[in-house]
């Protein structure tokens, strides 16, 4: 029997942990995940926490197996052309860039809809609408701003973030669920939609 998401193609513009957690889950369910990495550098986590010289780190491989990878320079006209072709042939674009980065690449919602009205665009962001929505967020910031750091540590000490990155992995899990729901709804509407998962920040 085929996997649930067999035939679904994911354009994966994610890095570090929250986004890759999401796309890895989709890959486990059978989706074809095409991970797009920065030309000349690749995903920064390939070299983070590396324990064996000259090979990808365990941190990278544990979040990115079951995926295909390409590098792409989206600032070059040919790179932009390749990106547009990928948008036309994929079902979902997933990103966890800083706020506004995707739009600065020219990948606006209007542009995506023009190329592929059925595409779902899914994003991980640190803050929802409000005065902090344009700020970048990593796990530690999210845990402190959202209050979860106050639930760990010692009674006579300051708040502490958890050792496990619960914000990143939880956000990725919630985004994967949102994508699956959007794919299901597309069967009825015939159109894609925007899906967002916000880190646990109040």
């Amino acid at each position: 029997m085929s996997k649930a998401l067999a035939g679904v193609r994911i354009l994966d513009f994610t890095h570090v942990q929250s986004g890759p957690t999401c796309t890895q889950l989709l890959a486990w369910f059978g989706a074809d995940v095409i991970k797009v990495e920065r030309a000349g550098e690749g995903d920064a986590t390939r070299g983070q926490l590396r324990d064996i010289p000259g090979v990808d780190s365990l941190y990278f491989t544990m979040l990115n197996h079951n995926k295909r990878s390409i590098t792409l320079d989206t600032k070059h006209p040919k790179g932009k052309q390749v990106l547009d072709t990928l948008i036309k042939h994929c079902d979902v674009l997933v990103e966890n860039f800083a706020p506004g980065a995707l739009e600065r690449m020219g990948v606006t919602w209007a542009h995506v809809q023009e190329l592929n009205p059925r595409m779902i665009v899914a994003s991980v962001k640190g803050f929802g609408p409000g005065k902090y929505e344009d700020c970048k967020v990593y796990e530690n910031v999210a845990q402190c701003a959202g209050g979860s750091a106050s639930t760990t540590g010692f009674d006579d000490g300051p708040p502490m973030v958890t050792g496990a990155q619960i914000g990143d992995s939880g956000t990725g899990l919630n985004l994967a669920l949102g994508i699956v729901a959007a794919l299901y709804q597309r069967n009825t509407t015939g159109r894609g939609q925007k899906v967002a998962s916000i880190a646990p920040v109040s």
Side-chain angles (χ1 to χ4, degrees):
M1 187 167 69
S2 63
K3 293 186 177 181
L5 295 183
V8 173
R9 186 169 291 158
I10 311 292
L11 184 55
D12 181 4
F13 269 101
T14 69
H15 54 283
V16 191
Q17 186 164 335
S18 58
T21 297
C22 168
T23 53
Q24 180 176 252
L25 287 168
L26 300 174
W28 283 344
F29 290 139
D32 177 16
V33 178
I34 304 169
K35 182 177 175 68
V36 180
E37 301 184 48
R38 185 178 299 178
E41 298 179 33
D43 190 318
T45 56
R46 285 184 182 272
Q48 291 178 354
L49 306 176
R50 180 181 282 158
D51 55 347
I52 302 174
V55 300
D56 292 333
S57 69
L58 178 60
Y59 182 42
F60 174 84
T61 55
M62 75 176 189
L63 291 167
N64 292 286
H65 55 272
N66 291 343
K67 303 177 186 180
R68 298 189 286 162
S69 287
I70 62 170
T71 58
L72 193 60
D73 182 357
T74 57
K75 295 179 180 178
H76 191 282
K78 287 186 177 179
K80 186 68 169 64
Q81 186 177 8
V82 171
L83 175 56
D84 284 351
T85 301
L86 287 168
I87 290 172
K88 289 177 183 177
H89 292 91
C90 289
D91 298 285
V92 185
L93 186 154
V94 187
E95 61 92 15
N96 64 336
F97 291 125
L102 201 62
E103 288 75 13
R104 289 191 294 273
M105 290 169 52
V107 186
T108 63
W109 176 243
H111 181 70
V112 169
Q113 286 288 285
E114 182 181 353
L115 295 174
N116 183 356
R118 290 176 55 81
M119 174 166 266
I120 295 157
V121 176
S123 303
V124 172
K125 297 297 173 227
F127 293 95
K131 61 182 179 178
Y132 299 117
E133 64 184 298
D134 294 326
C135 296
K136 296 179 181 179
V137 175
Y138 277 94
E139 174 79 24
N140 292 359
V141 173
Q143 287 195 32
C144 292
S148 63
S150 68
T151 65
T152 61
F154 300 94
D155 290 340
D156 58 349
M160 296 179 66
V161 298
T162 61
Q165 303 298 285
I166 56 172
D168 279 339
S169 55
T171 302
L173 174 60
N174 285 324
L175 186 62
L177 178 59
I179 290 168
V180 170
L183 285 167
Y184 183 80
Q185 189 173 46
R186 192 179 70 175
N187 292 334
T188 303
T189 66
R191 299 188 66 85
Q193 61 182 285
K194 290 197 276 188
V195 179
S197 184
I198 309 299
V201 176
S202 58

